[in-house]
Amino acid sequence: MMIKKRKALPGLLALILAGCGSDNSTPDTPEPGPGPTPDNPAWEYVESGKMELNTNGLKGHINVTFDYMNEQVWKWIRGITKDSDNFCLTLPDNVTQPCNTDVNGDGFVNALDANLAGIVNQQTDISRVSAEEIHRVLSTNPDGLGAGTARPDIFKEGSYSVFDLLRYMVATRDDLKFIGEITTPDDSEYNTHEFTLAYDRNGNGSFSDEGEESSNWHFRFTQSMGKAGLYRDHSGEIPFNRMDMFLIKEEQRIRFIDASSSFKARLKHLWKSEADRLASNNGKVIVDSIGWSDDPENPIATNFEVKAHNLRNDVFQEGVITNMDVFLTLADMGHDFRLTWWPTLETGAIVNSFALSRAPVLGKTVGLRSFVTTTSVLNEFGNDIFFSDRMPGVCNFDAVTGRSDTINTPVPMTDCVRDFWSAFGIGGYFGNINNDLWLMPFGAENVVLSKQDLNNAGYHSLGTKIDSFSKNETIQWDYNWRHNALVEKGVKTGFIDSDIVTLRTLTPATEESQHGKAPLLNENHFGWKVADCTLCHNEEAAPQGHGGYSWPVNAADGFDEIQPYYCSTCHGNNGAPEAHGREARCFWCHSEDMLPKNHGPASTRKLLKHEDNWINTVTTRRKAGDDNNMYGFSDNHSEVLEGDEKGYGDRWVSSNNDYDFTKKFPDPFSCGTCHQDKQ
């Protein structure tokens, strides 16, 4: 990648979700096609194993909109008073309650309360653009910036940046046009395309009305959230990334905004600082320090050069460095960093990225309890994005120069709230961008690792009741808990008896630890590698074994039906492939295109009715009057693009899910029994 050599970027804080990958328990692979990739030593750090990545570029659709959203729900929840229209001080006549009021008296203030008070965000126009059309239009080089991507030094053919998406929009819409010459990265001191864009908002065709021409354009984004999108900051996350260095992905929402001059000044100062940092390190990508958030005095490593590992050569050119290369470089140095692949998740959220699954000291992640990284290119910019206008010292830089050392022109609070306030405090260094897709061409002063419970992230599975139980735990479980809990809430009627069992991972028999005279299965077994024993061993299909009718059940743990993983305790795991280091929520990734075969109910989905959905009865997060709680949404509401909230309707979910375990193949206990981790 041709990066001009100057100085640093504000940190890149990437949510590095750690989750599941392929354990080869099914011949299907995630997005990638069959067969291993050409040898790349970096694959030895991927716990989910080698696979062929899809090199066909962008596919599916991208959702695109322009201008700021008139965000009222979040202003009402947080009690914002310093925005441009003094919203909470001058509430519309139809609003029945003051901002930050617990309208329904449940002890929480969230979006449901805002809706009850009469606050509903107005949906903005969102264009749904097909990847096929983007390929077709950009291949014609519509603006002279290049056929395909305008950054062929970064992106492979068929992959595009947010700037490329803007080029497509300009080429296909009559109300958009570039004004004058576009400065290319080679001629830009910020190493990016600089441009002036005119937007004919009123549609009169003149492009000359006040405010229609600007050089302050930037963007916000929301990643694919599948079918389980909770209410969140619909204006999108606020990145400091350059448009032409930010990869667009299937089902993202990209919002182009004409930002304030204060925001753009800050960006330019950051971008110039990035380039200066690179130049000061003689073109080498250097990380000054990496360590754990709770042990800053004992870094894992200091002052090391990050090397490209080209693990994402499906989308990036050879030599392009991403945040993930920090961990791969440290793995080369002997540190215990490992990755796993996340496909399309159980919720339908399209991830298709590698994530950090193991790190020194804290070891591996479990379920939704994950690693989070903060990658601060320059620590100066770490607190730019905030989530409450009551926080002191926000926007503490000059509105003209963007610098923090000398402030002659303070940033107007209206600009500060509009461009740096985020409902979750997400943006700048912290964002929902997987680290294998977040470019790091300039290095970083500081990389901080921490553990975080991501049960409330967009990747969640319809809210959670089961708290990421590890396969190494033993739990008591009532299979009728949800019905009786809904009866207590008045949603259903008629209590039923509890059905309590013990759930635990069992130990399969091996040649070294056979169980009596029970035959140990091998490749000569007619059902070798077929996970569900009952497909053949049942009372209806030529019954074999145990007299053809008396197959053992695990009555000691409370079960009364045949469980193949219990059979393994005498007969071995029947050739089940090795596991890949994960401990919980196997269904989270092993669904959709990776749904396991021949695993009984674990290979199926079931209909979860609206009235049976536990999360539709719960409002959580943000206690009334609590200014410091980051979350202000209610778990029982899904988003309707940018409108109000409603409860989840009927949903097809994995038979193992965040509410229930199947009895025959309870996840992760049955998984952990047959699919053993490599010792």
Side-chain angles (χ1 to χ4, degrees), residues 273-563:
S273 299
E274 289 182 317
D276 290 345
R277 175 183 171 85
L278 187 66
S280 69
N281 286 318
N282 299 314
K284 295 181 179 181
V285 175
I286 303 295
V287 169
D288 297 347
S289 178
I290 178 172
W292 291 101
S293 60
D294 58 355
D295 191 14
E297 301 302 319
N298 294 292
I300 296 171
T302 59
N303 193 34
F304 61 95
E305 181 180 359
V306 182
K307 298 291 188 179
H309 288 71
N310 303 311
L311 200 54
R312 291 311 304 263
N313 59 5
D314 56 319
V315 292
F316 296 131
Q317 298 288 359
E318 298 292 308
V320 169
I321 293 176
T322 69
N323 283 11
M324 193 64 77
D325 286 309
V326 173
F327 308 111
L328 293 173
T329 297
L330 290 171
D332 287 340
M333 297 164 59
H335 295 283
D336 188 19
F337 285 99
R338 295 295 184 269
L339 315 177
T340 194
W341 175 262
W342 279 17
T344 298
L345 302 185
E346 191 272 340
T347 62
I350 301 170
V351 183
N352 292 335
S353 277
F354 293 102
L356 189 64
S357 55
R358 190 174 184 90
V361 183
L362 289 186
K364 56 190 173 184
T365 62
V366 178
L368 282 178
R369 293 192 286 274
S370 181
F371 296 124
V372 172
T373 58
T374 307
T375 307
S376 301
V377 177
L378 286 183
N379 295 329
E380 170 190 348
F381 310 110
N383 295 318
D384 278 6
I385 305 300
F386 62 98
F387 61 88
S388 171
D389 70 346
R390 302 174 179 85
M391 291 177 64
V394 295
C395 297
N396 190 25
F397 53 86
D398 190 271
V400 177
T401 67
R403 299 181 64 90
S404 303
D405 49 2
T406 302
I407 301 177
N408 295 316
T409 307
V411 175
M413 186 53 70
T414 52
D415 289 354
C416 188
V417 171
R418 186 174 70 159
D419 284 324
F420 294 90
W421 173 78
S422 166
F424 287 167
I426 293 179
Y429 302 166
F430 179 82
N432 285 299
I433 313 170
N434 287 80
N435 281 339
D436 61 335
L437 300 178
W438 197 326
L439 299 186
M440 184 194 266
F442 307 103
E445 284 189 347
N446 199 23
V447 177
V448 178
L449 280 165
S450 59
K451 264 201 169 182
Q452 181 166 319
D453 188 339
L454 298 178
N455 278 341
N456 304 306
Y459 300 109
H460 77 127
S461 183
L462 308 182
T464 59
K465 168 66 177 179
I466 302 172
D467 184 24
S468 305
F469 289 128
S470 166
K471 65 184 181 183
N472 298 321
E473 297 180 65
T474 297
I475 65 170
Q476 299 297 306
W477 184 256
D478 180 2
Y479 273 93
N480 292 331
W481 78 267
R482 181 158 49 88
H483 175 91
N484 289 332
L486 291 171
V487 172
E488 289 181 356
K489 285 180 171 290
V491 177
K492 300 178 78 71
T493 59
F495 287 100
I496 58 178
D497 291 339
S498 296
D499 184 5
I500 299 175
V501 301
T502 298
L503 289 172
R504 57 192 174 105
T505 297
L506 306 177
T507 302
T510 65
E511 291 184 359
E512 293 75 25
S513 59
Q514 287 188 251
H515 194 288
K517 296 181 179 181
L520 196 64
L521 302 178
N522 57 35
E523 60 272 10
N524 296 319
H525 177 222
F526 64 90
W528 182 242
K529 293 190 176 182
V530 176
D532 188 357
C533 311
T534 65
L535 290 176
C536 299
H537 298 284
N538 59 65
E539 296 181 7
E540 299 170 358
Q544 298 185 48
H546 294 278
Y549 61 89
S550 181
W551 295 278
V553 297
N554 188 7
D557 285 345
F559 293 99
D560 58 4
E561 63 181 81
I562 302 173
Q563 297 169 299

